[in-house]
Amino acid sequence: MTTAPGERAPSFDPVAAMASRIEDGDQLGALTLAQELHPAQLAEAFAGVDREVTDLLVQRLTPGELGASLTYLEPHYREDLLVGLEPDRIASVLEHVADDVATDIVQELPEGIGSAVMAAIPLRQQHAIDALMEHDEESAGGRMTGQLIAILPDRLAGEAIEDLRSIQPDATQPFYVYIRDAEGRLGGVVNLRSLVLAASDTPVAELAVTDVVSVSASTDQEEAARLLKRYKLLSLPVVDDDGHLLGALTADDLIDVLEDEATEDMFRQVGVHEDEDLRSVRRSIRFRLPWLMVNLLTVLLAAVVVAAFEDTVAQVAVLAAFLPVVAGQGGNTGIQTLTVVVRSLAVGRLAGRNLWRVVLHEAATGLVNGVVIGAAVGVAAWLWQGNTTLGFVVGVALAVNMLVGVIAGVLIPMGLQRFRQDPALSAGIWLTTATDVLGFLVFLSLATLLVHAIG
Amino acid sequence: MTTAPGERAPSFDPVAAMASRIEDGDQLGALTLAQELHPAQLAEAFAGVDREVTDLLVQRLTPGELGASLTYLEPHYREDLLVGLEPDRIASVLEHVADDVATDIVQELPEGIGSAVMAAIPLRQQHAIDALMEHDEESAGGRMTGQLIAILPDRLAGEAIEDLRSIQPDATQPFYVYIRDAEGRLGGVVNLRSLVLAASDTPVAELAVTDVVSVSASTDQEEAARLLKRYKLLSLPVVDDDGHLLGALTADDLIDVLEDEATEDMFRQVGVHEDEDLRSVRRSIRFRLPWLMVNLLTVLLAAVVVAAFEDTVAQVAVLAAFLPVVAGQGGNTGIQTLTVVVRSLAVGRLAGRNLWRVVLHEAATGLVNGVVIGAAVGVAAWLWQGNTTLGFVVGVALAVNMLVGVIAGVLIPMGLQRFRQDPALSAGIWLTTATDVLGFLVFLSLATLLVHAIG
């Protein structure tokens, strides 16, 4: 592997390298290292080292060096990094980042500092930031860059290239040239490569794709990311309701969106929040405790069911040993189905006719697995406790509960989706409630019915 | 939203549209629709409609139309689609797809058909496919395209553009021009935009970034995708051990890699396999049943623990009602920690000093949540059953088990990672084993010790 810029070896760890210089009291060495690192590595160092080190670096690096690394830093670290600086210095750093990143930072800064920073930045960027601020942060409009290349539809390829050379556009949107008519409406897009390879006298309109895939400014960023992935694009133009070109989204931003959404889905399923932060235990507790409390209520419901059969359990105490087996396997097989369904919904792979195929597929899989596991446990229970009826009761309850699990695993996320709730958020809680309560009910009812043969 | 190519409305569903034409017996209509759709939409239709429809379309569409849609189709559908065609026709379709996609398809086809297809494709593509086949399918070498633009380092910008115009390179790697010396070694990369905007007499070497981030052909595709994301690149060159340029990876391929890895991680955690297929219940059972069996063994272990306290349960049957509460909350809080740790490991966010910060953070969070939930349940149990000692036993057992959960949630994935096991695969099973067994042990031991005060 050719080493990356500033990287000494594939396993080079910028955080550790920075920390060891600081521990040696070598502040100058730390600063020199920061200047040698690739901005992406400097961003990692910022995210990983202690506060006093970032304070030192932020004071001593140039605005250009700081600005470059901000692009690579996760959003919630950016504000932290800058908040102690003078507004003038923050403004000079922001000149070195793309407008969409600058907008995010200004919005994250405390009110007073944010407006002081805005007053100190160049007019062009002020206007750009004002325009971006009108859009929701998580929408296409909030994520887009306005720094793109656009030309009129009546130019020839050679003229267009001359135009670009003379304008030297300040574009972060690197490889597409948008065709925008005199009213500012998006008319097409030309791949920069086609423009370069075409004969100079080819009309630009001939090179353009006119059926452009685009999104409106209010489109959710995840939907935009899905569209980009679906059509394998590297960039996606953003237009207003009348088709005027406002800006464009790039693949590197949307990769982050897709990965953040996957993390968010994994976290939400277990009541963890993606904005948790290693530096605040209180914050983690605030996010996680409510989910545990809701879970507690549902598990107490299951406890009430068991308590209702107290007499049966008092007669045959060993029934208690099979409670976690019945509930656990029903929950496990249900979670398998739930995970498939929730993920398929998230990546947009469940639509129309597929729905019924999924239901049938999962029901068939659950039925077979339920019968196999139910039979295995039934036989095990019979051999262990020397009681055929107990084996029968455990086996049947298990098979039934596993079928309950897969059916709940399909219906719960589908139902949540139908009622416009996020299926990732609470589906797991409802599922285990169903498998706990119904599992105990079936198992203990059957045991009560046959208690004379088990006891 | 400007509609996408061939799209009638944002909610347009190509699968449903295709299916309705077939149901009406309108085969010509179905074919016409297929020709009007964007290749990405045609791919969705292929994935969603019945076999007889795909057979019809595959027979009647042109090789170019078919080839375009293959790029967008998920790998395991591609082989299915083509396998019934004559090798000559498959070969003519493959001429319309990128070399890396063609390589995947040839590898997926049954042996005899694959070699007949290889014999029928043009020599240039044969060589390209042979070269790509040398690499593992999931490595950078297996994913790369060799169709890129490369120039010698001593050219001027204007000359380079003239070169490109006269060669008209067949590149799927659109926006970077690689600098390759006479021995074929990668010397740098020039952004096509810089090349276009530069004065014609600027040496290309002056425009080039020479510290190129690259990967070796044997690099795992996920590692390559992480690198691309980390440095916010749209493309990543692939080199051999001597630095010779072999090909390049593009962002659109690697977006798929990142999303597939996320799906895989979610699925593996619950014993589902990403290669499951709606059309085969047997396959789903084969993947899921073993995981359920392993889980069964661990939950039977928990059952043995409970059975060991049969006498205590016989004396105080209501203890059974609290078993799911103690096990459930310990497991839930542990899963929260586990999810954070597994995901942080997957996205490479846990390294060096961060490890201890995570352990401390999770232990503190778990301790507070454990005490709060333990106290709440203890009080609830006391009020419900009118027994202080029972409340005390339930509360203490819960708090202890929740602490067990968070500690296991950090240590288990870390340990699996240390022993080079995939933390996503089995961490959940070990975790619930720990919280079930230890939870029951603590709860029932304590209850046995104080049974005279509870009973």
Side-chain angles (χ1 to χ4, degrees):
Chain A
M1 182 168 139
T2 305
T3 52
E7 195 160 13
R8 284 99 223 257
S11 63
F12 173 70
D13 177 355
V15 178
M18 188 66 74
S20 87
R21 275 171 187 70
I22 294 291
E23 269 160 30
D24 298 346
D26 182 11
Q27 295 205 348
L28 193 65
L31 191 65
T32 312
L33 176 66
Q35 288 168 326
E36 284 170 10
L37 291 174
H38 186 283
Q41 295 176 327
L42 181 56
E44 281 171 53
F46 276 135
V49 298
D50 296 330
R51 184 80 218 185
E52 67 261 38
V53 187
T54 59
D55 283 347
L56 169 79
L57 294 177
V58 163
Q59 297 293 342
R60 305 279 290 274
L61 290 170
T62 68
E65 287 161 351
L66 270 180
S69 77
L70 285 178
T71 306
Y72 297 92
L73 200 62
E74 288 189 54
H76 65 275
Y77 286 110
R78 290 174 184 156
E79 170 210 14
D80 259 34
L81 207 63
L82 297 178
V83 75
L85 299 177
E86 289 297 307
D88 279 355
R89 185 160 158 81
I90 300 180
S92 61
V93 172
L94 293 192
E95 283 179 51
H96 297 273
V97 304
D99 292 341
D100 55 325
V101 175
T103 306
D104 285 352
I105 294 172
V106 169
Q107 283 177 317
E108 286 158 15
L109 288 170
E111 187 82 21
I113 303 180
S115 47
V117 169
M118 275 296 270
I121 59 180
L123 215 58
R124 185 208 67 75
Q125 206 175 17
Q126 274 184 35
H127 289 315
I129 292 177
D130 278 336
L132 289 173
M133 275 202 194
E134 282 173 27
H135 306 288
D136 184 278
E137 244 181 290
E138 307 225 315
S139 71
R143 278 271 180 172
M144 71 186 177
T145 169
Q147 295 160 275
L148 45 75
I149 311 179
I151 53 176
L152 287 167
D154 54 2
R155 306 296 281 168
L156 303 177
E159 291 172 345
I161 289 179
E162 285 312 312
D163 289 351
L164 298 184
R165 282 220 183 94
S166 66
I167 306 169
Q168 291 285 330
D170 175 26
T172 56
Q173 174 64 28
F175 303 122
Y176 295 103
V177 177
Y178 294 100
I179 299 194
R180 180 158 57 180
D181 66 19
E183 281 81 48
R185 271 190 297 266
L186 175 63
V189 59
V190 183
N191 184 319
L192 186 59
R193 184 167 56 104
S194 327
L195 196 65
V196 172
L197 298 185
S200 310
D201 58 353
T202 316
V204 161
E206 261 179 39
L207 301 168
V209 175
T210 51
D211 244 357
V212 189
V213 182
S214 65
V215 291
S216 81
S218 60
T219 305
D220 182 77
Q221 58 176 357
E222 188 180 0
E223 195 185 322
R226 296 254 148 253
L227 213 55
L228 185 113
K229 179 175 142 68
R230 182 179 174 197
Y231 290 100
K232 292 187 183 287
L233 306 169
L234 293 176
S235 174
L236 197 57
V238 180
V239 295
D240 69 12
D241 293 341
D242 300 319
H244 297 103
L245 180 63
L246 301 176
L249 296 159
T250 44
D252 58 338
D253 286 332
L254 295 181
I255 288 178
D256 292 344
V257 170
L258 287 175
E259 200 155 82
D260 290 349
E261 296 288 342
T263 300
E264 195 181 301
D265 284 353
M266 290 181 193
F267 282 11
R268 297 248 164 131
Q269 273 171 37
V270 297
V272 173
H273 200 284
E274 62 279 7
D275 288 343
E276 284 186 29
D277 183 325
L278 272 184
R279 285 165 298 186
S280 170
V281 171
R282 181 181 302 195
R283 201 161 168 175
S284 293
I285 293 169
R286 205 179 66 220
F287 286 128
R288 296 186 200 179
L289 194 53
W291 186 84
L292 290 171
M293 284 289 188
V294 173
N295 257 293
L296 181 61
L297 290 179
T298 74
V299 85
L300 285 177
L301 192 65
V304 170
V305 172
V306 176
F309 292 93
E310 197 175 337
D311 292 345
T312 308
V313 176
Q315 283 180 64
V316 195
V318 80
L319 287 175
F322 291 98
L323 291 175
V325 181
V326 172
Q329 290 297 85
N332 281 332
T333 198
I335 285 289
Q336 291 186 325
T337 297
L338 186 75
T339 305
V340 172
V341 173
V342 167
R343 184 64 177 161
S344 301
L345 287 172
V347 301
R349 221 182 279 153
L350 267 194
R353 296 155 66 87
N354 265 336
L355 172 58
W356 280 108
R357 294 164 72 180
V358 173
V359 174
L360 289 175
H361 178 88
E362 293 300 323
T365 306
L367 195 63
V368 175
N369 284 344
V371 169
V372 173
I373 298 271
V377 177
V379 170
W382 166 41
L383 296 176
W384 180 23
Q385 297 292 327
N387 187 312
T388 334
T389 313
L390 179 65
F392 170 77
V393 169
V394 172
V396 169
L398 245 175
V400 170
N401 204 28
M402 285 174 72
L403 197 57
V404 166
V406 292
I407 292 171
V410 179
L411 295 185
I412 289 170
M414 294 286 183
L416 288 170
Q417 171 105 338
R418 175 69 55 92
F419 292 105
R420 308 207 154 275
Q421 301 294 309
D422 178 2
L425 190 56
S426 61
I429 296 181
W430 298 117
L431 177 82
T432 49
T433 308
T435 50
D436 279 4
V437 169
L438 291 176
F440 293 152
L441 209 57
V442 171
F443 176 52
L444 293 175
S445 302
L446 213 54
T448 305
L449 223 60
L450 299 170
V451 72
H452 59 275
I454 308 177
Chain B
M1 182 166 139
T2 305
T3 54
E7 196 160 11
R8 285 100 221 259
S11 62
F12 174 71
D13 176 354
V15 179
M18 189 66 75
S20 87
R21 275 170 187 69
I22 295 290
E23 270 160 30
D24 298 346
D26 181 11
Q27 294 205 350
L28 193 66
L31 191 66
T32 312
L33 176 66
Q35 287 168 327
E36 285 171 8
L37 292 174
H38 186 282
Q41 294 176 328
L42 181 56
E44 281 171 54
F46 276 135
V49 298
D50 295 332
R51 184 80 218 185
E52 67 261 39
V53 187
T54 60
D55 283 347
L56 169 80
L57 295 176
V58 163
Q59 297 291 345
R60 305 278 289 275
L61 290 171
T62 69
E65 287 161 351
L66 270 180
S69 76
L70 285 178
T71 306
Y72 298 92
L73 200 62
E74 286 188 57
H76 64 275
Y77 286 110
R78 291 174 184 155
E79 170 210 14
D80 258 36
L81 207 63
L82 297 178
V83 75
L85 299 178
E86 289 298 308
D88 279 355
R89 185 159 159 81
I90 299 180
S92 61
V93 171
L94 293 193
E95 283 178 52
H96 297 273
V97 305
D99 292 341
D100 55 324
V101 176
T103 307
D104 284 352
I105 293 172
V106 170
Q107 283 177 317
E108 286 158 16
L109 287 170
E111 188 82 22
I113 304 180
S115 48
V117 170
M118 275 297 270
I121 59 179
L123 216 58
R124 184 208 66 75
Q125 204 175 20
Q126 275 184 35
H127 289 315
I129 291 177
D130 278 337
L132 288 174
M133 275 201 193
E134 284 175 25
H135 306 287
D136 183 278
E137 244 182 292
E138 307 226 313
S139 71
R143 278 272 181 172
M144 72 187 176
T145 170
Q147 294 160 275
L148 45 76
I149 312 178
I151 53 174
L152 287 166
D154 55 2
R155 306 295 281 170
L156 302 178
E159 293 172 343
I161 290 179
E162 285 312 313
D163 289 351
L164 298 183
R165 282 220 184 95
S166 66
I167 307 168
Q168 292 284 332
D170 175 26
T172 58
Q173 176 63 28
F175 303 121
Y176 294 103
V177 177
Y178 294 100
I179 299 195
R180 180 158 56 181
D181 67 18
E183 281 80 48
R185 270 190 297 268
L186 175 63
V189 59
V190 183
N191 183 318
L192 186 59
R193 184 167 55 107
S194 325
L195 195 65
V196 172
L197 298 185
S200 310
D201 58 353
T202 316
V204 161
E206 261 180 38
L207 300 170
V209 174
T210 51
D211 244 356
V212 189
V213 182
S214 66
V215 292
S216 83
S218 60
T219 305
D220 181 78
Q221 58 177 357
E222 189 181 0
E223 195 185 323
R226 295 252 150 254
L227 212 56
L228 185 112
K229 179 176 141 68
R230 182 178 172 198
Y231 290 100
K232 292 187 183 288
L233 305 169
L234 292 176
S235 173
L236 197 58
V238 180
V239 296
D240 69 12
D241 293 340
D242 300 318
H244 296 103
L245 181 63
L246 300 176
L249 298 159
T250 43
D252 57 339
D253 286 333
L254 295 181
I255 288 178
D256 291 345
V257 170
L258 288 176
E259 199 155 84
D260 289 350
E261 295 289 342
T263 301
E264 196 180 302
D265 283 353
M266 290 180 193
F267 281 11
R268 296 249 164 130
Q269 274 171 36
V270 297
V272 173
H273 200 284
E274 62 279 7
D275 288 344
E276 284 186 30
D277 183 325
L278 272 184
R279 284 163 298 186
S280 171
V281 171
R282 181 180 303 194
R283 201 162 168 176
S284 292
I285 292 168
R286 207 179 64 221
F287 285 129
R288 297 187 199 178
L289 194 55
W291 185 84
L292 289 172
M293 284 289 188
V294 173
N295 257 295
L296 180 61
L297 290 180
T298 73
V299 84
L300 284 177
L301 193 64
V304 170
V305 172
V306 176
F309 292 92
E310 197 175 338
D311 292 345
T312 308
V313 176
Q315 283 180 63
V316 193
V318 79
L319 288 175
F322 292 98
L323 291 175
V325 182
V326 171
Q329 291 295 86
N332 280 332
T333 198
I335 286 287
Q336 291 187 324
T337 298
L338 185 76
T339 304
V340 171
V341 173
V342 167
R343 184 66 178 159
S344 301
L345 288 171
V347 301
R349 220 181 281 154
L350 267 193
R353 296 154 66 88
N354 265 336
L355 173 57
W356 280 108
R357 294 166 71 181
V358 173
V359 175
L360 289 177
H361 179 87
E362 294 299 324
T365 307
L367 196 63
V368 175
N369 284 344
V371 169
V372 173
I373 298 272
V377 177
V379 171
W382 165 43
L383 295 176
W384 181 22
Q385 297 293 328
N387 186 313
T388 334
T389 313
L390 178 67
F392 170 78
V393 170
V394 172
V396 169
L398 245 175
V400 170
N401 203 29
M402 285 174 71
L403 196 57
V404 166
V406 291
I407 292 171
V410 179
L411 294 185
I412 289 170
M414 293 285 184
L416 289 170
Q417 170 105 336
R418 176 69 55 91
F419 293 105
R420 308 207 153 275
Q421 301 294 310
D422 179 0
L425 192 54
S426 61
I429 296 181
W430 298 118
L431 177 82
T432 49
T433 308
T435 51
D436 279 3
V437 169
L438 292 176
F440 292 152
L441 210 56
V442 171
F443 176 53
L444 293 174
S445 302
L446 213 54
T448 305
L449 222 61
L450 300 171
V451 72
H452 59 276
I454 307 177

